[in-house]
């Protein structure tokens, strides 16, 4: 590539996502494409981890049996309601590893989605259509069930109740903050209260242990100048270069379910003019984009404000605290990859 004029821009992309494509995206992210129960390494000092593996294996067996139903006379089968398992614990104890392993251990139709993706699915298809869509599945896995959005939690609770009645089993993980772990079953109690219509089907599995990734967040790199970012972008095939405000405006023109298609085929993302955000809607769209970039392992290089200052203190102390902390952590990992030029592993 010669000169930044040839660099592509995310703001010039206008992806459309067919319903079929949305369904096809409901699989574990690339980071967890190769995992299984056998590749999970329980910490011998934390017996709850080995117990969690056993509980998940048992859950998978039950999910298959429930979907098969109960034989009646004349060869017909009665539908048995699905079962549920809820993996509760802090960051880095392997909850998503076990959730993805459960997904792979079960044969038949199944879906793996973040809580946000599931609410998007209901938004795109409509509530009733979404139930019909998932009704014949063996298993639906929900990573990071969020308790900080009452409207969406109620929506998903009703959706899950309906599909469980039709024989679908559900596995979910929590997104408990580390400082809440001292409060015992805080997240589990919150979860069961929020989904009271479903509480009876869920077995709560508590996973203890320190964060295996816990090396402290790397400090945010010193931002480059706009010119340096543009020059670097010009030297990288399939990179994109965008102004931060223009990108945020562009994200508002499409449903977050399209963000995965927006970054398809992109090798690295270069952004100029980053600054703190004070609009919650803009911030939440940026969180969604960050999650997609992280799942795809696409490094980020930026100029302007440091990436750990994007979300204000007020936002970090508000109802979406967990999302913003996760997004900050992921942005720092992506910019660290951008500095070395290596993809996320």
């Amino acid at each position: 590539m010669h000169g930044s004029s040839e660099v592509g821009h995310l703001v010039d992309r206008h992806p459309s996502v067919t319903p079929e494509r949305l369904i096809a995206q409901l699989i574990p992210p690339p980071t967890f494409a190769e995992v299984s129960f056998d590749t999970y390494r329980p910490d011998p000092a934390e017996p709850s981890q080995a117990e969690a593996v056993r509980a998940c294996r048992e859950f998978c067996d039950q999910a298959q049996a429930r979907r098969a139903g109960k034989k009646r006379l004349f060869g017909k089968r009665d539908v048995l309601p699905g079962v549920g398992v809820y993996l509760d614990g802090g960051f880095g104890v392997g909850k998503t590893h076990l959730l993805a392993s459960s997904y792979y251990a079960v044969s038949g139709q199944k879906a793996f989605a973040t809580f946000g993706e599931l609410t998007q699915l209901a938004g795109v298809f409509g509530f009733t259509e979404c139930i019909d869509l998932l009704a014949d599945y063996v298993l639906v896995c929900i990573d990071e069930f969020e308790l900080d959005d009452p409207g969406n939690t109620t929506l998903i609770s009703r959706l899950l109740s309906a599909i469980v009645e039709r024989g679908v089993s559900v596995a979910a993980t929590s997104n408990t903050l580390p400082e809440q772990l001292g409060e015992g079953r805080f997240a589990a109690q919150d979860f069961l209260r929020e989904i009271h219509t479903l509480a009876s089907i869920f077995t709560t599995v508590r996973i203890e242990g320190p964060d295996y990734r816990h090396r402290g967040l790397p400090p945010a790199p010193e931002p480059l100048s706009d010119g340096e970012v543009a020059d670097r972008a010009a030297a990288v095939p399939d990179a994109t270069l965008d102004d931060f405000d223009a990108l945020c405006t562009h994200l508002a023109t499409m449903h977050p379910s399209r963000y995965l298609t927006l970054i398809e085929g992109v090798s690295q993302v270069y952004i100029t003019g980053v600054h703190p955000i004070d609009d919650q809607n803009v911030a939440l769209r940026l969180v969604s984009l960050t999650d997609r970039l992280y799942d795809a392992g696409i490094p980020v290089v930026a100029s302007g404000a440091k990436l750990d200052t994007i979300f204000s203190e007020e936002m970090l102390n508000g109802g979406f605290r967990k999302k913003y902390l996760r997004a900050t952590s992921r942005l720092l990992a992506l910019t660290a990859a951008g500095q070395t030029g290596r993809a996320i592993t």
Side-chain angles (χ1 to χ4, degrees):
M1 284 203 176
H2 307 287
S4 58
S5 60
E6 295 177 34
V7 180
H9 308 284
L10 291 177
V11 295
D12 294 336
R13 293 173 163 226
H14 301 276
S16 61
V17 181
T18 62
E20 292 74 22
R21 175 68 193 269
L22 263 184
I23 302 301
Q25 288 173 192
L26 299 180
I27 57 173
T31 331
F32 294 96
E34 304 291 325
V35 300
S36 69
F37 291 131
D38 290 336
T39 62
Y40 182 83
R41 295 279 172 264
D43 183 341
E46 300 288 349
S48 64
Q49 295 186 5
E51 172 57 26
V53 176
R54 190 201 62 73
C56 286
R57 285 184 189 270
E58 185 180 308
F59 163 79
C60 290
D61 291 341
Q62 287 182 321
Q64 297 269 188
R66 292 277 164 158
R67 182 74 278 173
K70 192 168 62 180
K71 258 196 172 162
R72 289 190 320 195
L73 290 172
F74 312 117
K76 290 191 174 178
R77 286 183 178 270
D78 272 340
V79 173
L80 292 172
V83 287
V85 67
Y86 177 67
L87 305 176
D88 183 43
F91 294 144
V93 292
K95 298 189 303 293
T96 304
H97 184 135
L98 291 176
L99 191 68
S101 300
S102 300
Y103 173 92
Y104 290 121
V106 165
S107 55
Q109 279 190 298
K110 53 200 174 181
F112 185 105
T114 62
F115 183 82
E117 285 171 331
L118 203 57
T119 56
Q120 286 166 16
L121 199 68
V124 170
F125 282 98
F127 183 72
T128 309
E129 291 78 1
C130 201
I131 292 168
D132 290 338
L133 183 81
L134 299 172
D136 293 327
Y137 279 42
V138 179
L139 174 65
V140 171
C141 299
I142 308 166
D143 201 18
E144 299 193 333
F145 199 102
E146 287 169 6
L147 301 168
D148 48 18
D149 186 328
N152 280 342
T153 304
T154 303
L155 171 78
I156 297 304
S157 179
R158 285 176 53 216
L159 175 71
L160 296 182
S161 294
I163 64 172
V164 164
E165 278 176 21
R166 291 165 73 166
V168 184
S169 292
V170 178
T173 68
S174 70
N175 60 353
T176 312
L177 284 172
E179 58 263 33
Q180 290 171 343
L181 290 179
E183 300 171 34
R185 294 194 171 277
F186 172 82
Q189 284 169 353
D190 265 18
F191 174 80
L192 293 173
R193 185 170 63 243
E194 291 285 355
I195 59 153
H196 52 88
T197 51
L198 273 172
S200 60
I201 74 144
F202 273 93
T203 302
T204 301
V205 176
R206 177 80 190 165
I207 309 175
E208 306 284 357
D211 186 339
Y212 70 90
R213 298 169 301 209
H214 189 66
R215 292 182 287 274
L217 286 179
E222 287 300 322
L224 304 170
S225 70
D226 290 358
E228 286 173 315
V229 171
D231 288 345
R232 285 205 194 183
V236 177
D238 300 320
T240 58
L241 172 65
D242 290 274
D243 168 73
F244 183 67
D245 281 333
L247 178 59
C248 289
T249 300
H250 188 54
L251 292 178
T253 67
M254 68 189 80
H255 195 275
S257 58
R258 297 186 184 183
Y259 293 177
L260 188 60
T261 314
L262 179 70
I263 60 169
E264 201 164 42
V266 174
S267 62
Q268 295 197 24
V269 166
Y270 291 78
I271 305 171
T272 56
V274 171
H275 62 81
I277 299 170
D278 53 17
D279 183 320
Q280 190 102 268
N281 292 319
V282 175
L284 290 171
R285 285 192 284 268
L286 196 64
V287 168
S288 289
L289 179 66
T290 299
D291 287 341
R292 297 286 77 80
L293 290 169
Y294 186 80
D295 285 346
I298 298 174
V300 173
V301 177
S303 67
K306 287 188 175 184
L307 288 167
D308 57 358
T309 65
I310 290 181
F311 307 114
S312 68
E313 277 303 310
E314 188 182 358
M315 284 186 176
L316 289 176
N317 291 326
F320 296 110
R321 171 172 162 75
K322 294 172 186 175
K323 287 186 180 183
Y324 296 141
L325 287 174
R326 184 181 75 221
T328 300
S329 163
R330 290 180 164 187
L331 279 171
L332 293 180
L334 292 170
T335 51
Q339 280 186 309
T340 60
R342 289 199 301 270
I344 308 294
T345 52

